[in-house]
Amino acid sequence: WTNTSAGNWSVAANWTPNLAPSTNESVLIANAVGVTLNYDVDLVNLTLGALNVGPDLNGSGKVTVSGVGTWVSGSMSGSGATIVRSGATFTIPNVSTVSLNGRVFENQGTTYWMNGGLLGMNASIITNDAGALFQVMKPSTFNYQGGVPRFDNTGAFLTATNGTTGFSAVQFNNYGNVPIQGGMLQMGGGGYQTGTITVPAGTTVNFSGGVFNCTASSSIIGAGTFLASATTANFAGTVVVTASNSFSAGTASFTGNYTCTNNTLLDISTGGAVNFDGTGTVSPNILNLNGGLGGANTVTVGSAMYWYGGTMYGSGRTTIQPAATLTIAAFTGYGGVYLADRTLENKGQVVWGGGNLNMSGVGVITNDAGASFQILNTASFGYGGGV
């Protein structure tokens, strides 16, 4: 492209040589102008942008790349699509922020996002097809710029090997395979999960915002860390992440195979709530509770539970094992901890610093033979309704 002003792809005079590219050709657009394409073209190679120069490729047409594509800078806009064919390679060097506005970017081959930074998305879609690879090489963020942008993965999506690979208010739908290579995968725009997310030791998966629905076929497994602070997160599939599992906001509901055993730390903070209604075993070594713990499952504490605040509710049971200790923090004034309908069974030791323990519904505390329930300061079992 040689025209220093915006123009239409179809005008031959805008190009050197004077030929509007259409089939089996290579294209370079490095001027800071808008190029409008309203019909489909099949290219071998495409280079969009240059250092500190950001063109805009727009229009309703489809651009297909079968060789090598490079998106150095600028934006791709309009109602059309940019398609990377199977066998082709597309690179985003990210020498500056690039933006996808309204357009579809479909990867059927291999796409590399090289240097980190931001990829802005405004009412746009990135699709990583079955058999395709989209690899993020350094910490990067798919950044919300408007509308309802989303990333649909049916192939392999590989995160950076360190730092955070993030979706900032951009929906991430995974039907394929997501191996976390290192650092954290942070999903802040909600999404739909039917595929597999692998969380190796030393890595973190973070459901950090929006609404997530994970089907019965979904799988989130590994020796890493599981975090959830989304508005709503429903997990109907397999979740077995064996380092700490933390819930700091919103409500997470597990109806599939959620397994939390042995040395796993389960942490439920203020503002977070978790419902266990699945088929797995919930038996953390340590449980910190300052939010909501509910559901029909039994939660068995192996070593220590610290009940700082919040509520245990639902038809299930929380069991303190014979070698374990439950510490209930001391409170002054109004407030305390709440037991609604649920059963708290102590087989080990309870140490209550004092304050209020409010009980309602069919809440039951059972102190088994051989167990110890010790109250250190002024305390009250408070009635909140029911029996």
Side-chain angles (χ1 to χ4, degrees):
W1 183 274
T2 52
N3 192 342
T4 56
S5 300
N8 199 292
W9 184 293
S10 63
V11 177
N14 289 330
W15 300 93
T16 296
N18 294 144
L19 171 70
S22 59
T23 303
N24 201 35
E25 289 155 341
S26 298
V27 166
L28 168 65
I29 304 174
N31 296 346
V33 298
V35 178
T36 301
L37 174 65
N38 289 322
Y39 58 92
D40 298 349
V41 295
D42 294 313
L43 305 178
V44 177
N45 304 318
L46 170 66
T47 300
L48 181 65
L51 183 62
N52 300 320
V53 178
D56 176 44
L57 174 60
N58 60 70
S60 59
K62 294 180 181 178
V63 175
T64 301
V65 178
S66 60
V68 176
T70 307
W71 189 5
V72 181
S73 60
S75 57
M76 291 191 278
S77 307
S79 59
T82 301
I83 301 170
V84 181
R85 289 292 191 199
S86 178
T89 301
F90 195 92
T91 301
I92 307 172
N94 232 160
V95 295
S96 62
T97 299
V98 294
S99 297
L100 193 66
N101 301 315
R103 196 171 183 88
V104 172
F105 179 87
E106 181 178 357
N107 178 43
Q108 300 173 353
T110 302
T111 293
Y112 297 108
W113 186 359
M114 300 302 295
N115 292 322
L118 298 176
L119 195 164
M121 298 183 66
N122 179 7
S124 54
I125 300 171
I126 297 175
T127 301
N128 192 45
D129 288 355
L133 170 66
F134 194 112
Q135 184 167 5
V136 179
M137 307 300 290
K138 292 186 178 181
S140 306
T141 300
F142 297 88
N143 193 47
Y144 177 83
Q145 291 185 331
V148 187
R150 71 177 197 261
F151 190 114
D152 295 336
N153 176 56
T154 58
F157 176 81
L158 274 63
T159 70
T161 57
N162 61 3
T164 298
T165 301
F167 291 85
S168 177
V170 173
Q171 188 178 104
F172 181 59
N173 301 316
N174 177 40
Y175 309 89
N177 185 30
V178 180
I180 300 178
Q181 303 295 292
M184 177 186 293
L185 171 61
Q186 181 169 324
M187 297 170 285
Y192 185 76
Q193 305 285 324
T194 67
T196 298
I197 299 176
T198 306
V199 193
T203 71
T204 300
V205 60
N206 186 1
F207 295 84
S208 62
V211 175
F212 288 94
N213 287 297
C214 303
T215 67
S217 64
S218 66
S219 176
I220 305 167
I221 55 175
T225 297
F226 181 96
L227 303 177
S229 56
T231 303
T232 303
N234 300 308
F235 300 93
T238 298
V239 179
V240 184
V241 182
T242 57
S244 62
N245 287 210
S246 299
F247 305 88
S248 58
T251 300
S253 298
F254 295 91
T255 56
N257 176 22
Y258 174 83
T259 301
C260 172
T261 59
N262 300 325
N263 293 325
T264 305
L265 166 68
L266 181 60
D267 186 272
I268 307 170
S269 305
T270 304
V274 188
N275 299 314
F276 298 113
D277 292 292
T279 59
T281 300
V282 187
S283 56
N285 188 44
I286 298 174
L287 170 60
N288 296 326
L289 178 61
N290 204 13
L293 170 60
N297 289 158
T298 296
V299 175
T300 303
V301 177
S303 176
M305 176 176 174
Y306 302 93
W307 193 0
Y308 301 106
T311 304
M312 289 196 286
Y313 57 91
S315 60
R317 179 182 297 263
T318 301
T319 301
I320 309 302
Q321 289 283 64
T325 299
L326 165 60
T327 302
I328 306 175
F331 297 92
T332 58
Y334 180 80
V337 295
Y338 296 81
L339 187 69
D341 294 317
R342 196 171 185 88
T343 295
L344 170 62
E345 181 179 7
N346 176 40
K347 297 181 178 182
Q349 183 178 23
V350 173
V351 179
W352 181 11
N356 296 325
L357 198 166
N358 303 287
M359 301 176 66
S360 63
V362 289
V364 177
I365 297 175
T366 301
N367 194 47
D368 288 355
S372 169
F373 196 111
Q374 184 178 10
I375 300 171
L376 300 180
N377 293 293
T378 300
S380 174
F381 295 91
Y383 176 73
V387 186

